[in-house]
Amino acid sequence: MGIDLSVDFGKFKLQNPVMTASGTFGYCDEFDAFLNVRNLGAIVTKGVTLEERPGNEGRRIFETTGGMINRIGLENVGIKKFVNKKLPELKEKGINFVLNIAGSSVEDYIKLSEICEANNIAAIETNVSCPNVKSGCLEFGTDEKSLYELISRIREVYNGFLIVKLTPNVTEIERLALAAQNAGADCISAINTLKGLGVELNFNGTKISKNFVQGGLSGRCVKPVALSMVKRIKEVVNIPVIGLGGISCLRDLLEFVAVGADAVQIGTENFTNPDIAERLTVELAEFIERQGFKDFNNLKEELRK
């Protein structure tokens, strides 16, 4: 019998605490060539909107020290194609998943949530924190009253496991976390990307050309910020917290658990080490056994003493 890594969120259960972050892992089995997706705790789908979106024009990715800046702009297939094509594949292959949803208005989120409820989607993650779209998302995630209203409305039409993904681009993330909890959220995930700017300079003698890429900063460089935010959130809420931001090895995962994360999501690291999520589940089980802990819950308890 192997080490028990399970995480029980009540409405939603994970076989282990390792998830993948939205926008870094596709919709279903795009990473099958690198790992067995069914061995992960869950995948979080690429953000889905009511209508299909082409995303932003121009350069979308800028590599920077310790991470990357993206301005993809929520390119996605739309909820109709997801339900008709991606959802059957997820269910047929037995992949545990969370559907990430994003909108430009309260009505968008309500309609998306109603569709999720009608299709028995067990868990959704509301994206109220994307900094690289022109309207919606971040507008809800930076104002506690707007966030409370939005999550309350979603809760009226959706009975499944409701995760709210918070932005670090605020002064008091605790107020946002409490607003989400008080409105009926089952879980908080943090953090989404930081606002960042990439500057590309090219010199030809005295002539200079420059290009700016403004979007969301992610990767190893954001980990200290993410750890701080997760700790601050956990100190004020009594619902589970999923931590993400710069996780690239087992020690990173353990640090997030130590500051309050009940599960983690792997994001940018998937692009350079596409098998990282499955590898971490194996390393976590080996670590627990080697150190003499009973199971993941026992390790979590000891890390938080």
Side-chain angles (χ1 to χ4, degrees), residues 128-129 137-144 147 165-167 170 176:
V128 292
S129 49
C137 289
L138 193 59
E139 295 171 7
F140 296 108
T142 56
D143 180 83
E144 59 188 290
L147 181 62
K165 188 171 187 177
L166 294 182
T167 177
V170 294
L176 279 304

Side-chain angles (χ1 to χ4, degrees), residues 22-38:
S22 177
T24 68
F25 213 74
Y27 299 98
C28 182
D29 55 3
E30 288 88 341
F31 277 65
D32 265 0
F34 304 103
L35 77 170
N36 186 343
V37 182
R38 285 157 292 283

Side-chain angles (χ1 to χ4, degrees), residues 172-218:
E172 296 183 73
I173 198 168
E174 296 92 337
R175 296 169 71 96
L176 279 304
L178 281 171
Q181 174 180 274
N182 293 338
D186 296 304
C187 181
I188 301 292
S189 60
I191 58 174
N192 206 328
T193 56
L194 290 152
K195 285 185 177 181
L197 177 67
V199 180
E200 184 177 66
L201 298 175
N202 295 295
F203 296 88
N204 182 10
T206 59
K207 294 183 178 180
I208 303 172
S209 63
K210 59 186 177 182
N211 183 40
F212 298 154
V213 178
Q214 185 164 325
L217 174 67
S218 63

Side-chain angles (χ1 to χ4, degrees), residues 8-47:
D8 188 349
F9 286 147
K11 294 180 183 178
F12 192 60
K13 295 176 174 58
L14 309 175
Q15 63 180 336
N16 61 67
V18 182
M19 307 167 71
T20 58
S22 177
T24 68
F25 213 74
Y27 299 98
C28 182
D29 55 3
E30 288 88 341
F31 277 65
D32 265 0
F34 304 103
L35 77 170
N36 186 343
V37 182
R38 285 157 292 283
N39 288 338
L40 305 182
I43 69 169
V44 184
T45 70
K46 185 171 176 57

Side-chain angles (χ1 to χ4, degrees), residues 21 24 32 43 57 64 113 122 155 159 167 181 189 193 201-202 204 217 224 229-231 240 255 274 294 298 303:
T24 68
D32 265 0
I43 69 169
E57 296 181 354
T64 188
S113 301
R155 187 80 283 176
N159 294 310
T167 177
Q181 174 180 274
S189 60
T193 56
L201 298 175
N202 295 295
N204 182 10
L217 174 67
M229 294 287 187
V230 168
K231 184 176 185 296
E255 289 174 7
K294 179 182 177 182
N298 178 217
L303 279 169

Side-chain angles (χ1 to χ4, degrees), residues 20 99 136 146 220 260-261 272 277 289:
T20 58
L99 176 60
S146 296
R220 301 182 187 190
T272 51
E289 184 172 27

Side-chain angles (χ1 to χ4, degrees), residues 152-165:
S152 297
R153 294 285 303 279
I154 291 174
R155 187 80 283 176
E156 290 174 1
V157 300
Y158 179 72
N159 294 310
F161 191 69
L162 176 56
I163 305 169
V164 178
K165 188 171 187 177

Side-chain angles (χ1 to χ4, degrees), residues 60-95:
R60 297 182 175 192
I61 296 291
F62 185 95
E63 188 172 352
T64 188
T65 304
M68 60 177 276
I69 294 171
N70 91 81
R71 54 177 302 275
I72 305 299
L74 288 176
E75 175 189 359
N76 74 95
V77 299
I79 191 64
K80 184 176 181 180
K81 280 188 180 179
F82 176 83
V83 168
N84 291 337
K85 295 184 177 181
K86 304 299 182 181
L87 184 57
E89 293 178 14
L90 285 162
K91 290 183 175 180
E92 179 184 350
K93 295 177 179 180
I95 298 171

